[in-house]
Amino acid sequence: MDCLQKLNLVFISLAITIVSLIIATDLPFIEVNFPNNNILLRTTTPVKNQSSSIPSRVGSDECRLWTQVCSNEILRLAHEPENVAWLKRVRRTIHENPELAFEEYETSRLVRTELDRLGIRYKYPLAKTGIRAWIGSGGPPFVAVRADMDALPIQEAVEWKYKSKVAGKMHACGHDAHVTMLLGAAQILKSREHLLKGTVVLLFQPAEEAGNGAKKMIEDGALDDVEAIFAVHVSHEHPTGVIGSRSGPLLAGCGFFRVIITSKETGSSANLIIAASSAVISLQGIVSREASPLDAQVVSVTSFDGGHSLDAVPDTVVLGGTFRAFSNSSFYYLMKRIREVLVEQVGVFGCTATLNFFEEQNAIYPPTTNDDGMYTHLKKVTVDLLGDNHFAVTPQVMGAEDFAFYSEVIPAAFYFIGIRNEELGSVHIGHSPHFMIDEDSLPVGAAVHAAVAERYLNDKHS
């Protein structure tokens, strides 16, 4: 046997050994930990016996050029009985265990467990408890879908089997449903990964209710390479499964203020109540006398604290309130005028005003504005998926959302999904202790997320 034959035998033996080791190894993931910055990157590797966890490839190759068949396939996947049962289990588990802003450790753990099961790669943590996952080719274009995870400090008043187990905390704004819908979309997209003409980024974000989690997610790289982003919020204004949105400004910018009014002269406080009262009246004139009636704005004083004594004047008076507008120019104009009116009006009475807009506490939310192109894409996808009667142009809403920070960076579209069902009692506004949702919205939300993302990538290549 010559040297070349011996060398070939060696290579063949080595190859057989390597293949045997791969087959014998039952590790579903490669994990790379970076101890210096406490980041986990998890990426899937082919393994045996995982067909029960990682979704099988589903979807006709005809969907490389989108047709109604493709929309129907996504909707069918979302409504498979096993999938619907899983969505309800996930949502109920999250609902029973609510966590406040930047405390979503168990919610984040649940999400990562499901991503592991589905064989989806991700980076963790972003913004303390957030996750950035991705499905597809790993290359451009990149489109993102976001879900918020945090609950509210509210005692749940709804009596049902899956009521919050944590005293004083509740998912009273539907974020448990948002997370569930995005996980549902992840499962659909994973089964259709071979059809994705780019990469779908899944953002599971902490602290929407307080702390501007979106801002911190962006700082930690959530939008790296991403060129468009979408998100949904449940709404009691729309019947279950109806999608609502509009082009342009959708949600108001929101800010808060607190002012401490004191007397300029030591020991003289006779004018404090009068000064504060005059300031309140003057603040109400900003919108009524200075704003266009076609440009909706709000300035409201919501607290007035002058003490409780009936026979003594206070040393200080504290006012507080909120202001809102649908454009950045109007929003920051209100902020400027509130400062001017408070300082100058109380000055007339020999008093000073110390004003706080809570900027260091990240309490300023800019308006949420939908990009025209992204709104058009959302509407087209929804109508093809659900029909004309399941899309509604919604009026502007004075509520605020930290999704606005994403929409300031890249083209974005924010939309509502209806959860209103009078028979179930799902009629209460968010942040109510009686808030509940119709879980029939879960597969619809998952399908819309998946179709919006996949079709965005598809359209970019058409």
Side-chain angles (χ1 to χ4, degrees):
M1 184 180 293
D2 59 28
C3 292
L4 184 58
Q5 289 176 315
K6 291 180 179 179
L7 188 59
N8 284 336
L9 287 173
V10 169
F11 280 124
I12 291 170
S13 300
L14 182 60
I16 291 172
T17 302
I18 292 173
V19 171
S20 299
L21 287 171
I22 291 173
I23 293 173
T25 302
D26 192 24
L27 295 176
F29 303 98
I30 295 174
E31 291 188 0
V32 183
N33 285 281
F34 298 87
N36 291 335
N37 53 16
N38 197 30
I39 290 177
L40 168 67
L41 292 178
R42 178 164 286 194
T43 178
T44 61
T45 58
V47 299
K48 62 179 182 178
N49 301 327
Q50 267 203 334
S51 59
S52 61
S53 297
I54 299 178
S56 302
R57 284 173 48 141
V58 176
S60 169
D61 286 343
E62 293 178 4
C63 288
R64 297 184 187 281
L65 181 63
W66 201 270
T67 66
Q68 188 60 45
V69 171
C70 310
S71 295
N72 294 343
E73 284 183 352
I74 287 177
L75 200 58
R76 178 186 62 78
L77 286 170
H79 282 95
E80 285 184 345
E82 288 185 3
N83 184 62
V84 173
W86 167 65
L87 291 173
K88 290 181 179 180
R89 285 197 304 271
V90 170
R91 185 255 162 173
R92 291 167 180 177
T93 299
I94 298 172
H95 188 87
E96 286 182 310
N97 301 279
E99 297 170 300
L100 302 183
F102 295 120
E103 298 175 2
E104 309 92 335
Y105 295 105
E106 293 306 314
T107 305
S108 180
R109 189 191 310 277
L110 180 151
V111 170
R112 298 196 310 275
T113 298
E114 294 298 333
L115 293 175
D116 288 345
R117 181 184 65 82
L118 295 170
I120 295 174
R121 296 162 290 178
Y122 59 83
K123 178 182 178 181
Y124 168 84
L126 284 75
K128 198 170 183 179
T129 59
I131 301 162
R132 185 187 197 266
W134 57 94
I135 305 169
S137 68
F142 290 81
V143 61
V145 187
R146 167 271 207 173
D148 38 15
M149 301 189 292
D150 55 324
L152 287 159
I154 293 174
Q155 179 64 44
E156 183 167 7
V158 181
E159 295 298 333
W160 68 306
K161 184 177 179 180
Y162 302 99
K163 182 179 179 179
S164 170
K165 295 178 179 179
V166 184
K169 298 179 184 179
M170 175 191 176
H171 273 290
C173 202
H175 296 189
D176 50 344
H178 301 168
V179 173
T180 302
M181 291 173 187
L182 189 52
L183 283 172
Q187 178 157 279
I188 295 170
L189 291 167
K190 185 63 180 178
S191 71
R192 299 172 60 82
E193 190 169 27
H194 60 293
L195 299 172
L196 299 181
K197 298 179 179 180
T199 306
V200 179
V201 176
L202 312 173
L203 299 179
F204 296 90
Q205 177 207 305
E208 185 278 325
E209 298 291 357
N212 285 347
K215 204 171 184 180
K216 292 178 173 57
M217 288 283 286
I218 295 170
E219 292 170 357
D220 285 354
L223 294 185
D224 289 355
D225 299 318
V226 175
E227 60 180 55
I229 187 169
F230 299 85
V232 74
H233 201 294
V234 295
S235 169
H236 74 291
E237 297 285 350
H238 301 289
T240 296
V242 171
I243 303 299
S245 191
R246 69 181 295 116
S247 184
L250 174 62
L251 299 171
C254 172
F256 301 92
F257 63 90
R258 182 173 182 267
V259 59
I260 301 174
I261 302 171
T262 56
S263 176
K264 288 182 180 179
E265 297 182 13
T266 304
S268 174
S269 56
N271 292 327
L272 283 177
I273 295 292
I274 298 174
S277 300
S278 178
V280 171
I281 294 172
S282 296
L283 286 173
Q284 303 311 303
I286 295 176
V287 173
S288 64
R289 297 302 177 189
E290 300 179 28
S292 165
L294 301 179
D295 181 12
Q297 300 174 29
V298 169
V299 175
S300 288
V301 176
T302 57
S303 68
F304 190 121
D305 184 3
H308 302 286
S309 177
L310 300 180
D311 61 354
V313 293
D315 295 325
T316 62
V317 174
V318 180
L319 303 180
T322 184
F323 58 102
R324 306 189 178 211
F326 284 106
S327 70
N328 277 322
S329 59
S330 296
F331 182 75
Y332 287 105
Y333 177 80
L334 289 180
M335 195 171 177
K336 177 177 79 75
R337 289 295 290 136
I338 289 169
R339 183 183 299 278
E340 291 172 349
V341 167
L342 282 171
V343 171
E344 294 176 13
Q345 188 63 45
V346 302
V348 172
F349 296 90
C351 300
T352 60
T354 303
L355 187 59
N356 183 6
F357 284 108
F358 304 101
E359 292 169 280
E360 293 183 2
Q361 289 78 26
N362 292 313
I364 299 292
Y365 287 71
T368 299
T369 302
N370 282 344
D371 175 83
D372 291 344
M374 297 306 102
Y375 166 77
T376 300
H377 174 74
L378 166 69
K379 182 177 180 180
K380 175 180 65 177
V381 170
T382 301
V383 170
D384 287 350
L385 188 72
L386 305 174
D388 284 314
N389 61 336
H390 276 72
F391 187 88
V393 178
T394 189
Q396 293 176 324
V397 180
M398 271 296 175
E401 244 279 356
D402 75 351
F403 184 78
F405 291 105
Y406 299 115
S407 72
E408 286 190 321
V409 178
I410 56 176
F414 190 83
Y415 53 103
F416 298 106
I417 183 169
I419 56 169
R420 187 175 186 85
N421 186 326
E422 286 84 357
E423 291 183 6
L424 292 178
S426 179
V427 296
H428 297 282
I429 193 171
H431 294 219
S432 163
H434 301 283
F435 179 83
M436 63 181 299
I437 74 165
D438 181 354
E439 292 182 323
D440 286 347
S441 63
L442 299 176
V444 179
V448 174
H449 274 335
V452 163
E454 181 179 341
R455 196 164 174 182
Y456 177 89
L457 300 179
N458 196 294
D459 289 353
K460 294 289 287 187
H461 285 273
S462 62

